[in-house]
Amino acid sequence: MTAGRGNWGSRVGFVMAAAGSAVGLGNLWKFPYLTWENNGGAFVIVYLLAVLVIGLPLMMSEILVGRKTQLSPVPAFTSLGGKKWSALGWLGVTSGAIIQAYYIVIAGWSLRSFVQCLGWSLQGYIAPAESEFGEFLSNGPLQIGLAFLFTLFTASIVYRGIGGGIEKANKILMPALFAILMYLVLTALTMEGRSEALTKIFMPNLSTLKLRGFLEAVGQAFFSLSLGLGAMVTYGSYLDKKESIFKSALWVVVLDTLVALLACVAMFTIIFSVSGLGSRVSGSTIGMLFITLPDLFYTHMPGGVILGPLFFVLVAFAALSSTISLGEVTTSLVIDLIGWTRARATIVTTCVVFIGSILSALSLGANGLLSSFEFFEGKKGVLSTLDHLAANWMLPVGGFLITLFVGWKLGRRTCMDELGLLQSNPAFTAWLWIVRIVAPAAVLILLISVIMGKDFS
Ligand code: TRP
């Protein structure tokens, strides 16, 4: 163990922190709205397949590299594979910084929803007008202010380091979020829209899924599981040698997927049950999380007056445990590479990333260059462009390279030792061939077909 880097207290500590990284806006905000835009069913199936076939093996691979080297991504790949492979670490850190930049803006919305709910709890609920969310989006100063607040929260925890801040907070907040979400789903399922919602989510209809939807499903699997940029390398570097990588990874994957599906079921049911909500959501699908749930809290749910504000506090915390893990990637790189103190590394990386947050925050309104340029078809403005670029291109490419690295470069022996499996174990053989062939081939074929299909979107 490198002195001064700290360590997780236990496997539960690791699972909670890694699940904290994985469970976030990806599950609560992005998965439901992508599922909606891609027409449910088939999208969800492709997503689940991607989680199982690519996500789980890749998560094991990332943790393995981290634990073997006890280093953050750039030095980890360099020490195992030589100088050339440091590029892979850099790609990851760049993706992490990009994601963090816009993610913090969305995370800021949870603060606003919290305040809004607090007001409704105290003064009674008034359903917002259809245009309300759009007006909020185009309020530049407010967007920057909320992003700034969230940046402060994130930096102040990363500043304190692993164990002290991250682990403790996650152990309490993750179970709380899960409990509220369960209650939300159970309440939603008493509403009449449930069968329509469940059909939309689980009934596959392949003809409605475009190639681009495949890319988004696979990209979302990477994004939601925090894969493809070395976040799990970083977290794995603090995992105790005694712990099983497979079991730890499996827990994280199952929890993450469950939360995404539960969130989706709750939101879709509400949309199909409350009249007028469908049109409010379709005006701004990106805001689905923040538009749908208050209606449930204040019109259908016993105790919703208390749970409404509380829920958005927990959303903020779920987002926070994710931004912390993103911040940890860039910060620990600077610490390992340049040898700065954690304090200095945190401050400098935070400032750099915040520039990206400002640009994203200003790109949500209706006018101006920041919000109107369209590099990827249908993705207008800085925030959507960064999201699409990082999640659907950079993470899959990063993941592709990581599987190749672990499968072919690292050597069977090292993998066996770290995974604690015998060569004769069929589970090991299956994992190895997935990492060597199946996962990289799946990603490669997808990326090539999207490029060749000129569906460069
Ligand atoms: N997984 C997080 C979410 O679903 C986002 C996230 C945190 C992330 N760390 C990451 C995504 C690292 C990719 C890589 O909200």
Side-chain angles (χ1 to χ4, degrees), residues 90-366:
W90 285 108
L91 173 72
V93 172
T94 315
S95 323
I98 292 179
I99 293 177
Q100 192 177 9
Y102 70 83
Y103 195 97
I104 276 185
V105 175
I106 315 284
W109 299 356
S110 61
L111 302 177
R112 182 257 191 179
S113 283
F114 164 68
V115 173
Q116 202 176 35
C117 281
L118 212 55
W120 284 328
S121 289
L122 296 173
Q123 295 168 350
Y125 179 62
I126 308 161
E130 201 171 307
S131 59
E132 195 252 12
F133 200 79
E135 284 155 20
F136 164 64
L137 290 183
S138 36
N139 186 342
L142 180 58
Q143 294 288 340
I144 293 180
L146 291 171
F148 180 70
L149 260 182
F150 216 88
T151 298
L152 276 187
F153 293 158
T154 307
S156 62
I157 295 190
V158 173
Y159 189 91
R160 268 178 230 163
I162 295 282
I166 305 180
E167 185 171 346
K168 269 194 208 120
N170 275 309
K171 264 193 193 155
I172 305 167
L173 300 170
M174 294 299 301
L177 179 73
F178 196 74
I180 284 211
L181 197 59
M182 281 306 289
Y183 182 46
L184 243 140
V185 172
L186 292 178
T187 314
L189 285 179
T190 62
M191 297 164 82
E192 75 218 18
R194 63 174 174 259
S195 57
E196 210 175 333
L198 293 175
T199 311
K200 181 147 174 141
I201 299 172
F202 293 110
M203 191 76 135
N205 180 358
L206 263 179
S207 63
T208 56
L209 190 66
K210 302 209 186 76
L211 198 54
R212 148 105 164 240
F214 272 84
L215 181 66
E216 286 195 326
V218 173
Q220 172 62 12
F222 281 89
F223 184 86
S224 189
L225 295 170
S226 299
L227 295 174
L229 60 75
M232 291 297 163
V233 174
T234 311
Y235 271 26
S237 74
Y238 305 106
L239 180 66
D240 196 277
K241 289 277 183 205
K242 289 197 299 290
E243 302 295 349
S244 153
I245 290 183
F246 171 68
K247 280 191 203 146
S248 306
L250 187 63
W251 266 109
V252 178
V253 168
V254 168
L255 286 174
D256 186 76
T257 308
L258 210 56
V259 172
L261 290 174
L262 289 176
C264 207
V265 169
M267 282 177 231
F268 281 30
T269 310
I270 303 165
I271 294 174
F272 287 124
S273 305
V274 178
S275 72
L277 203 58
S279 62
R280 257 167 67 201
V281 167
S282 59
S284 182
T285 40
I286 200 171
M288 186 187 273
L289 167 67
F290 305 92
I291 299 171
T292 49
L293 293 181
D295 236 286
L296 182 68
F297 287 124
Y298 293 101
T299 57
H300 289 83
M301 195 167 185
V305 174
I306 294 166
L307 291 177
L310 183 63
F311 177 78
F312 282 105
V313 172
L314 293 174
V315 172
F317 273 112
L320 186 62
S321 53
S322 301
T323 53
I324 289 167
S325 82
L326 290 161
E328 184 61 26
V329 171
T330 35
T331 305
S332 63
L333 168 76
V334 173
I335 296 175
D336 285 345
L337 217 63
I338 319 184
W340 281 359
T341 59
R342 179 167 274 272
R344 186 160 170 200
T346 309
I347 294 170
V348 172
T349 50
T350 299
C351 290
V352 173
V353 168
F354 190 63
I355 299 173
S357 299
I358 296 181
L359 297 178
S360 307
L362 293 175
S363 73
L364 297 159

